[in-house]
């Protein structure tokens, strides 16, 4: 699955002028909200509530299936605009930090090898960081480097007090033990949120992870900003990868959705998906989800971004989502586009995690 | 939810003579199986396989719903007999360890206060441990003890090389910070498997937790020993507690079931449950699950054990499951009884986790 390729999308819109009407809108929001909260996503522990069960109080939903005419067009959930608002909020917070304590957040990336995709994603992270005032550091290692060299780079960033987030750009070359190296990542700089402790705390009621993985966090923020209520909804996640599908399902559950995960061994996945009020797809299979997979009125969030060669596009390829967009827009009540949906939100969440990490490190609030 | 009360069941059957025909059967099995594997459950990493998705290879299941006559009676999944087999296997392994290296596994329990339920569970763990040759240690602290006293007891057992499993008997009195104290538990003695690192590694593909929580582990072992195939099945878990529902859903997913969790905010839980090929219920609501919740032919595993006062019973109460057993036995293809289903398996898994921990500590295989 080429989930990391979502960052590619960001490249397109990041070239635009940074201060826009939405920047100003976000700024005015931050004036209204005295807590300077950039995101709408609440802390997970604040969502916790006791599961009080009684036989008599079983929730019942008799809402009938929505009817759509042939002219129905789904709302487009514009991640690009939302991410721009969030990034402008981050930029303001970084500025405030710099003016108050003379410090800025720092993000470090370790890149092994010269894979074209990885180079693109890292470049996007660099541009994104620098635009909001986050210091960006990078270590590039050759394809044939030793495990020890990667570990040394990790250790160096772990000990560096001006670095608050470390990303080990995946995938690593085969001769390197990904699990072992990731295990060495300092928990409080794990801005990707992939450390088992963060995943465990994401899963467990009553606990709060230090960082929520960026793509799932971006999807939830996108839903919340679109006014979509998650509690009690039937949510289906397609894909169970450690970096998207799994944490996505855990996060939806913390928001009190009734969650089902579809994976490659699921029988009749179309029928399972058809039950979803909220369908989040991260399979990495272009156009897997077509009309018969969708419940009329469903909210569809497309995380899939498969690059397909296209010489007419700027970088020689374009991105295809998991969802047949044309079909979804006739059936769903809302749908994210590819590109311009989840991708920009993912990069914005990485910057947000880095900012939060720096705030913790500097005890800056 | 009174999940820990499952251990109560065990009290009843543990009084029986230890060497039975099933002990001998287990012994002969261990002779056949040169790896001395006590459980049928495989390592989780060994189950991992790539989620290869293609639009064309979507799994389809056209099996029709099974028909049952009015005289149909579900198979009873006898956890009591299975647990006895497992315990006899553990006893043999402990004996082998003692004869080979002069060491036995050690299990320590910290009990705060004098709650009747907790005293019963701890007594059962003591009897269970000693019967298989595991050394049992206990610290009893008064209801009004300080956090520091609990932490000191934890630390003492953490440093004690003859202790391989530590259990902090829950719930703790309200003035103690359960999360904080549990966080101090040494990871490699966390035989309950509730540490976030263990939960994270249970959730993530490619990773293996040091310990799988006892009740979910017992449910899977019960299914495997009953010849029930989990891969590709639609599994529904009722309840999302950190100690049963959540790890149960994660473990089922590692076994490639398509998993849905029902919780108190789920709408139409009866309809969701009715989709399940395998239904595992841990809500702690007596008789919540009745006939209309069950798909004909479903496998039903009842983790619920609510104590109900009954002066005619030995201890003044009896245990009621979440499932209407009478109704389930007419619709399901197999069902676990309460008591005598999951309860004995849970205690057996605790002993198994303690044995495995000691084997790791002594590098004994």
């Amino acid at each position: 699955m080429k989930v990391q390729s979502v960052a590619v999308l960001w490249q397109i819109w990041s070239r635009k002028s940074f201060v826009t009407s939405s920047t100003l809108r976000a700024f005015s929001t931050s004036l209204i909200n005295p807590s300077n909260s950039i995101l709408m996503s609440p802390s997970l522990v604040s969502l916790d509530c006791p599961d009080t069960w009684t036989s008599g109080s079983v929730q019942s939903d008799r809402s009938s299936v929505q009817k759509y005419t042939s002219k129905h067009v789904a709302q487009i959930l514009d991640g690009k605009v939302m991410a721009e608002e969030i990034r402008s909020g981050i930029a303001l917070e970084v500025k405030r930090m710099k003016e108050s304590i003379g410090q800025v957040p720092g993000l470090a990336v370790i890149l092994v090898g010269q894979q074209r995709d990885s180079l693109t994603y890292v470049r996007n992270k660099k541009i994104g960081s620098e635009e909001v005032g986050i210091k960006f550091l990078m270590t590039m290692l050759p394809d044939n480097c030793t495990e020890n060299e990667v570990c040394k780079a990790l250790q160096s960033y772990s000990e560096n007090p001006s670095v608050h987030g470390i990303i080990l750009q995946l995938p690593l070359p085969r001769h390197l033990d990904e699990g072992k190296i990731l295990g060495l990542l300092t928990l409080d700089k794990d801005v990707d949120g992939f450390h088992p402790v963060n995943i465990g705390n994401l899963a467990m009621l009553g606990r709060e992870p230090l960082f929520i993985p960026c793509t799932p966090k971006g999807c939830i923020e996108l839903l919340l900003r679109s006014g979509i209520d998650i509690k009690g909804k039937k949510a289906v996640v397609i894909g169970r990868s450690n970096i998207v599908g799994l944490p996505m399902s855990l996060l939806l559950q913390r928001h009190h959705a009734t969650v089902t995960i579809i994976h490659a061994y699921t029988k009749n996945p179309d029928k399972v998906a058809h039950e979803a009020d909220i369908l989040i797809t991260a399979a990495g299979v272009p156009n897997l989800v077509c009309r018969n997979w969708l419940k009329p009125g469903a909210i569809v969030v497309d995380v899939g971004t498969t690059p397909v060669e296209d010489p007419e596009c700027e970088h020689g390829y374009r991105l295809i989502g998991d969802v047949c967009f044309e079909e979804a827009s006739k059936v769903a009540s809302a749908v994210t586009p590819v590109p311009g949906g989840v991708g920009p939100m993912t990069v914005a969440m990485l910057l947000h995690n880095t900012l939060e990490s720096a705030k913790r490190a500097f005890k800056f609030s």
Side-chain angles (χ1 to χ4, degrees), chain A residues 90 94 104-107 129-136 351 354-355:
Chain A
I90 294 171
V94 171
V104 294
L107 176 64
S129 298
E130 291 173 350
E131 275 194 348
V132 297
I134 289 176
K135 192 170 93 178
F136 187 85
L351 305 178
T354 306
L355 169 64

Side-chain angles (χ1 to χ4, degrees), chain A residues 112-113 141-150 173 175-176:
Chain A
V112 183
L141 293 168
D143 209 22
N144 61 351
C145 72
T146 64
E147 214 161 87
N148 193 36
E149 285 175 283
V150 185
H175 69 285
L176 301 173

Side-chain angles (χ1 to χ4, degrees), chain A residues 237 239-240 260-273:
Chain A
V237 178
R240 55 172 171 176
T260 305
I261 294 194
I262 289 176
H263 48 74
Y265 299 95
T266 297
K267 287 171 185 157
N268 304 322
D270 50 338
K271 290 195 179 71
V272 178

Side-chain angles (χ1 to χ4, degrees), chain A residues 6-36:
Chain A
V6 289
V8 173
L9 325 180
W10 187 81
Q11 195 177 37
I12 299 154
W13 58 266
S14 68
R15 298 275 162 77
K16 290 171 66 180
S17 166
F18 187 53
V19 178
T20 63
S21 59
S22 55
T23 310
L24 296 171
R25 197 159 61 243
F27 180 65
S28 58
T29 311
S30 75
L31 289 179
I32 295 163
N33 179 356
S35 72
N36 280 312

Side-chain angles (χ1 to χ4, degrees), chain A residues 309-323:
Chain A
E309 301 288 335
D310 186 343
E312 287 184 17
C313 290
E314 191 185 356
H315 297 279
Y317 62 92
R318 62 194 170 91
L319 296 171
I320 308 278
D322 288 351
V323 178

Side-chain angles (χ1 to χ4, degrees), chain A residues 6 27 88 135 138 161 167 196 200 210 222-223 240 282 301 335 365:
Chain A
V6 289
F27 180 65
S88 64
K135 192 170 93 178
M138 183 157 74
I167 288 174
L210 282 175
L222 187 143
L223 293 174
R240 55 172 171 176
V301 177
V335 60
S365 59

Side-chain angles (χ1 to χ4, degrees), chain A residues 106-123:
Chain A
L107 176 64
V109 175
I110 298 168
L111 174 65
V112 183
Q114 297 277 328
Q115 276 199 47
R116 187 186 71 171
D117 287 7
S118 293
L119 283 167
T120 309
Y121 310 145
V122 169
R123 188 167 57 240

Side-chain angles (χ1 to χ4, degrees), chain A residues 182-213:
Chain A
L182 278 173
L184 296 174
L185 215 157
T186 322
L187 193 60
D188 57 6
K189 298 187 179 184
D190 173 35
V191 284
D192 264 340
F194 298 155
H195 193 290
V197 174
N198 276 323
I199 296 291
N201 284 328
L202 176 63
M204 295 170 82
L205 287 169
R207 291 177 178 266
E208 193 81 40
L210 282 175
F211 304 101
I212 297 172

